[in-house]
Amino acid sequence: MAQLRQDYREFVARDAEVLIVSPEDARQVAAFWEKEQMPMPGLVDPGHEVATQYGQRVSLLQLGRLPTMVVFDRNGVVSLEHRGSNMRDIPENSLLLELLDELNREWNANPAHHLSQN
């Protein structure tokens, strides 16, 4: 999460949003967001409905839910799915930013994409 926070402005500059899904309750999430000055939005998911829907795995040996990352294009199509094997297993920001650059190039090169948004 710290890695995503570090380059948050780069994601926003590419018309992307980072959303962190947290298994804690709203009070815990709000306290963490304030303490850590998190710039991106957080989604409270104490019942794990969203995590389950996107296939986030649980590892008792890792003491919780393993990192899961899903990148959607502007039409809501999944462009990348990553399911971590440990708590530090997340793609490098440079890979994600390259993917966003490619998605933006495709979007800008094909005006038909814009019509599907309406």
Side-chain angles (χ1 to χ4, degrees):
M1 197 167 12
Q3 165 184 324
L4 295 170
R5 176 179 56 194
Q6 213 170 15
D7 287 330
Y8 181 68
R9 289 183 184 176
E10 293 294 324
F11 290 103
V12 171
R14 288 165 171 83
D15 294 325
E17 185 57 82
V18 175
L19 175 68
I20 305 295
V21 178
S22 177
E24 284 82 26
D25 66 35
R27 190 177 58 89
Q28 291 171 304
V29 171
F32 179 82
W33 249 245
E34 184 177 332
K35 178 183 175 224
E36 298 297 325
Q37 299 179 344
M38 299 298 283
M40 70 275 288
L43 176 69
V44 177
D45 187 30
H48 310 289
E49 291 89 2
V50 174
T52 299
Q53 182 176 351
Y54 288 100
Q56 187 179 35
R57 297 179 298 145
V58 175
S59 171
L60 298 178
L61 297 176
Q62 299 288 328
L63 302 175
R65 294 198 164 266
L66 295 172
T68 299
M69 183 171 292
V70 182
V71 176
F72 299 92
D73 71 9
R74 293 180 190 203
N75 289 318
V77 175
V78 173
S79 299
L80 176 130
E81 289 183 74
H82 176 82
R83 291 178 184 23
S85 59
N86 62 59
M87 297 306 269
R88 296 181 186 259
D89 183 11
I90 61 172
E92 293 291 325
N93 284 356
S94 59
L95 171 75
L96 299 170
L97 294 169
E98 286 175 24
L99 173 61
L100 292 172
D101 288 341
E102 178 61 29
L103 290 172
N104 284 331
R105 276 192 296 277
E106 289 174 13
W107 177 263
N108 292 328
N110 188 349
H113 285 308
H114 303 271
L115 298 175
S116 63
Q117 284 289 301
N118 297 327

